[in-house]
């Protein structure tokens, strides 16, 4: 099975930037869409962004549009989430996930059942 490991989280100041990484153990993950989700205590895990297997098409949640950029380097079996202009609502544990298909439609990109493999998460904390 594919194993995913997130890294790059930490404590940052309001308005700063941070880049998260998602390393996959298997090259076969590069043929599937890659998603990012986030979760805070007491709330559901919510969709952040997704990129297709080729790295061509992306889709973002309204809360992060214009601030976050999802990308991937299939030669390194690694996905990324560049987070800019961070605010307090961005504080969460961030998870990457590999989808069941090369592409996901916007209507299904945020549905858990369309992702087969998940990482353990990395904490991002935004402070004043």
């Amino acid at each position: 099975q594919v194993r995913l490991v997130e890294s790059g989280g930490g404590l940052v100041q309001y308005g700063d930037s941070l880049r998260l990484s998602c390393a996959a153990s298997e090259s076969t993950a590069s043929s599937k869409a890659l998603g990012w989700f986030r979760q805070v205590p007491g709330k559901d895990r919510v969709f952040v962004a997704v990129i297709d297997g080729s790295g061509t098409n992306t889709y973002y949640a309204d809360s992060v549009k214009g601030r976050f950029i999802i990308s991937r380097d299939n030669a390194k079996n690694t996905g990324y989430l560049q987070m800019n202009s961070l605010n307090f609502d961005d504080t969460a544990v961030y998870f990457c996930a590999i989808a069941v298909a090369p592409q996901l439609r916007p209507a299904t990109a945020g549905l858990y059942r369309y992702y087969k493999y998940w990482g353990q998460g990395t904490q991002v904390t935004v402070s004043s």
Side-chain angles (χ1 to χ4, degrees):
Q1 295 187 344
V2 176
R3 183 162 47 189
L4 303 175
V5 179
E6 301 96 336
S7 62
L11 176 64
V12 297
Q13 299 295 320
Y14 176 91
D16 283 356
S17 297
L18 196 66
R19 189 175 79 157
L20 305 182
S21 297
C22 173
S25 63
E26 303 289 340
S27 62
T28 53
S30 298
S31 66
K32 307 298 183 182
L34 171 72
W36 285 94
F37 290 72
R38 64 188 183 186
Q39 186 172 27
V40 299
K43 294 188 176 182
D44 293 333
R45 189 172 301 182
V46 300
F47 170 77
V48 174
V50 66
I51 186 169
D52 66 6
S54 68
T56 301
N57 301 299
T58 61
Y59 178 70
Y60 299 89
D62 289 341
S63 60
V64 305
K65 285 181 180 177
R67 298 190 299 119
F68 289 11
I69 302 173
I70 187 171
S71 63
R72 66 193 302 163
D73 185 343
N74 286 342
K76 298 180 178 180
N77 298 328
T78 302
Y80 304 96
L81 184 67
Q82 177 67 46
M83 304 182 293
N84 301 313
S85 301
L86 286 163
N87 59 56
F88 304 134
D89 290 334
D90 296 320
T91 293
V93 175
Y94 284 73
F95 300 86
C96 65
I98 298 298
V100 301
Q103 299 185 50
L104 294 180
R105 300 185 301 275
T108 58
L111 301 179
Y112 304 148
R113 68 177 181 269
Y114 286 93
Y115 296 87
K116 187 174 183 179
Y117 302 105
W118 295 81
Q120 84 289 346
T122 185
Q123 177 72 47
V124 173
T125 302
V126 182
S127 65
S128 61

